[in-house]
Amino acid sequence: MPNRASELAWDEPKTGTAAGLTRGQVVQTALDLADAEGLEAVSIRRVAQELDARPMSLYTHIASKDDLLALMLNEFSGRLLVPEPLPDDWREALRRIAHRAYDSYVAHPWTIQAFGRGTRVGPNMLRRAEQSAAAVVSLELEPSEAWTALSIVHEWTMGHALHVVTLREDAELEGRLRDADPSDFPRMSRVFGEGRAQSRDAVFEVALEVVLDGIERRYASGAR
Amino acid sequence: MPNRASELAWDEPKTGTAAGLTRGQVVQTALDLADAEGLEAVSIRRVAQELDARPMSLYTHIASKDDLLALMLNEFSGRLLVPEPLPDDWREALRRIAHRAYDSYVAHPWTIQAFGRGTRVGPNMLRRAEQSAAAVVSLELEPSEAWTALSIVHEWTMGHALHVVTLREDAELEGRLRDADPSDFPRMSRVFGEGRAQSRDAVFEVALEVVLDGIERRYASGAR
DNA sequence: CTACAGCGCCGTACACCGTATCGAAGTTGA
DNA sequence: TCAACTTCGATACGGTGTACGGCGCTGTAG
């Protein structure tokens, strides 16, 4: 038997002979379905139907539904890569990386749902981590410091996307606030009372700079 | 009919007459179950069994399973409140808030999964937002600026918790890396090659300070 | 050319899920 | 005592993931 338990098939098992269905088709169909109708629409039966195949046929190409999900996330992670070459300026490089991630999460909300259900690290996730690490070479940090700095950006980006996607437009919050007694929530009422000045995207922009400021203060000694 | 669509029962509907089962018991049982066996163990049938009741009886006290989930999250949010009084120092106040949230997320991993499936804002979530807003009064910010600053802390905290909970101990990442060709991922290999110096909690501490630094630089003009 | 091994495909079945429907039983106020 | 109302519950429907085992094709060995 193989080395470890984590042999979970990132690589196409083997193409056997003349193949009808392929793993790539299955994953792509699942991705399309998730984009179009949300993650809960992605069922084995439904994906099979979309492919004009029978449910159990999918299991020839994937080990389980969890596997399919991991494969979907891996594919998605690949699309998070930013076109090379990265700018030399680490702030600009991180800006691009964060922007691309944020835009992608919001455009494909099922991803953050999927991430919450336990993540298996695929090759594309590794590639992305490597690209991010390359973005901050000019800071000349210890590897573990670099990892911390990058984590902050990635984690905030993900957290922000989660917030945006789940509390759509804060409409939920505003609605609740309208029904409540303003004197119970004086400060919150003021926040939303004066008409949500900034747009979502503007908030992202500002907050990203704040996060980058924090990193700059701590980690950029003399580096450009 | 009532005012709006968002009439979803945060308040016990009415205690009717002599009640056997109560909504509180249902929610508490579901919480216990989620803590003990994860969110996927929380099914209507299972909760009913735990209460020695029949599945359909639960629907006397909750409108749907989604409702139950929202109620669980609301209850959880209540426990995120930090004991008053808050420190005058805004950094220390935010530290406490973030710490409590992070610890709670990690101790109850089902919460971040639940947040990903769409959040309904309950009264306790509002209370928590209000408390957070109170933490930064000394900065004397515009309400919308305060909201942005607080969002950064909350969103990073959540993102960090998500990262910690889903990629347990980065073991996943390290494992993948061991199998890969180091020359494909030179920087990542260095990060994990030298033995993960910092502990999880140390990383949280450092990263939190970095985030607070960013906020301080942008929003703390002369305030203490 | 025939035989066979292996593999992709898939029909059936099982255990579980959320919940609609509707009737039974019990409690309470008049 | 009667009527109103609420809680409880049995049954059933349409969905889920997937274990099991058979069928038929195809590439290769004899």
Side-chain angles (χ1 to χ4, degrees):
Chain A
M1 64 204 58
N3 48 356
R4 279 263 150 254
S6 71
E7 36 140 346
L8 64 137
W10 292 108
D11 4 285
E12 190 98 22
K14 53 211 100 214
T15 170
T17 58
L21 220 51
T22 68
R23 166 180 290 201
Q25 285 170 44
V26 173
V27 173
Q28 187 55 53
T29 304
L31 286 170
D32 292 342
L33 204 47
D35 282 342
E37 306 184 31
L39 196 56
E40 68 284 356
V42 180
S43 74
I44 296 288
R45 283 169 169 82
R46 182 67 197 282
V47 172
Q49 174 188 318
E50 222 68 32
L51 283 163
D52 207 19
R54 254 46 60 196
M56 288 312 290
S57 304
L58 301 201
Y59 285 93
T60 306
H61 305 94
I62 60 171
S64 66
K65 191 184 174 181
D66 270 7
D67 219 272
L68 175 57
L69 224 111
L71 259 6
M72 290 168 69
L73 240 27
N74 183 59
E75 180 61 31
F76 173 80
S77 296
R79 301 178 189 174
L80 253 33
L81 286 170
V82 156
E84 310 261 356
L86 253 31
D88 289 335
D89 178 32
W90 65 270
R91 278 189 79 122
E92 182 57 22
L94 287 185
R95 255 193 287 264
R96 287 200 196 170
I97 289 172
H99 250 104
R100 176 159 193 99
Y102 173 67
D103 291 344
S104 303
Y105 294 146
V106 172
H108 310 281
W110 62 268
T111 54
I112 63 156
Q113 213 175 131
F115 274 121
R117 317 221 300 175
T119 314
R120 254 98 52 94
V121 178
N124 284 339
M125 230 167 290
L126 231 48
R127 266 190 274 276
R128 181 164 123 84
E130 184 66 22
Q131 183 178 63
S132 299
V136 294
V137 280
S138 63
L139 286 176
E140 296 174 3
L141 301 173
E142 294 294 312
S144 71
E145 284 180 326
W147 180 247
T148 300
L150 293 170
S151 294
I152 295 171
V153 175
H154 284 147
E155 290 163 2
W156 169 75
T157 303
M158 176 122 245
H160 185 62
L162 190 150
H163 181 239
V164 167
V165 165
T166 60
L167 277 67
R168 295 205 170 273
E169 306 296 329
D170 290 314
E172 191 70 38
L173 220 168
E174 287 194 64
R176 293 286 318 156
L177 221 36
R178 236 193 316 277
D179 302 343
D181 182 345
S183 69
D184 285 344
F185 305 102
R187 302 181 221 289
M188 291 307 296
S189 296
R190 281 193 63 211
V191 172
F192 289 94
E194 47 192 59
R196 299 303 285 110
Q198 313 151 77
S199 78
R200 277 251 148 267
D201 287 350
V203 170
F204 173 82
E205 229 77 52
V206 170
L208 176 56
E209 295 308 318
V210 171
V211 170
L212 293 176
D213 280 352
I215 290 172
E216 178 161 359
R217 176 182 285 195
R218 169 107 14 175
Y219 295 111
S221 48
R224 46 163 319 158
Chain B
M1 64 206 59
N3 46 356
R4 280 257 149 258
S6 72
E7 35 139 347
L8 64 136
W10 292 107
D11 4 285
E12 191 98 24
K14 53 211 99 210
T15 171
T17 58
L21 220 50
T22 67
R23 165 180 291 201
Q25 285 171 44
V26 173
V27 173
Q28 187 55 53
T29 304
L31 286 170
D32 292 342
L33 204 47
D35 282 341
E37 306 184 30
L39 197 56
E40 68 283 357
V42 179
S43 74
I44 296 289
R45 283 168 167 85
R46 183 66 196 283
V47 172
Q49 175 187 318
E50 222 69 33
L51 284 162
D52 207 18
R54 254 47 59 197
M56 289 312 290
S57 302
L58 301 200
Y59 285 94
T60 306
H61 305 94
I62 59 171
S64 67
K65 191 184 173 180
D66 269 8
D67 219 273
L68 174 58
L69 223 112
L71 258 7
M72 290 168 69
L73 240 28
N74 183 60
E75 179 62 29
F76 173 80
S77 296
R79 300 178 190 174
L80 254 33
L81 285 169
V82 157
E84 309 263 357
L86 253 31
D88 289 335
D89 178 31
W90 66 269
R91 278 189 79 121
E92 182 57 22
L94 287 185
R95 255 194 288 264
R96 286 199 197 173
I97 289 172
H99 250 104
R100 177 158 193 99
Y102 174 66
D103 291 344
S104 303
Y105 294 145
V106 172
H108 311 280
W110 61 269
T111 54
I112 63 158
Q113 210 174 135
F115 274 122
R117 318 222 298 174
T119 313
R120 254 98 51 93
V121 178
N124 283 339
M125 230 167 290
L126 231 48
R127 266 190 273 277
R128 181 164 124 83
E130 184 67 21
Q131 184 178 62
S132 299
V136 293
V137 281
S138 64
L139 286 177
E140 296 174 2
L141 301 174
E142 292 293 313
S144 71
E145 285 180 324
W147 180 247
T148 299
L150 293 170
S151 293
I152 294 171
V153 175
H154 284 146
E155 289 163 3
W156 169 74
T157 303
M158 176 121 241
H160 185 62
L162 190 150
H163 181 237
V164 167
V165 166
T166 60
L167 275 67
R168 294 206 170 273
E169 307 293 329
D170 290 313
E172 191 71 38
L173 220 168
E174 287 194 63
R176 293 287 317 157
L177 221 36
R178 236 191 316 278
D179 301 343
D181 183 346
S183 70
D184 285 343
F185 306 101
R187 302 182 221 289
M188 291 307 296
S189 296
R190 281 193 62 210
V191 172
F192 290 94
E194 47 191 58
R196 301 300 286 111
Q198 312 152 78
S199 77
R200 279 251 147 266
D201 289 350
V203 171
F204 173 82
E205 229 77 51
V206 170
L208 176 56
E209 295 308 317
V210 171
V211 171
L212 292 176
D213 280 353
I215 290 171
E216 178 161 357
R217 176 182 282 193
R218 169 108 15 174
Y219 296 112
S221 48
R224 46 161 318 157

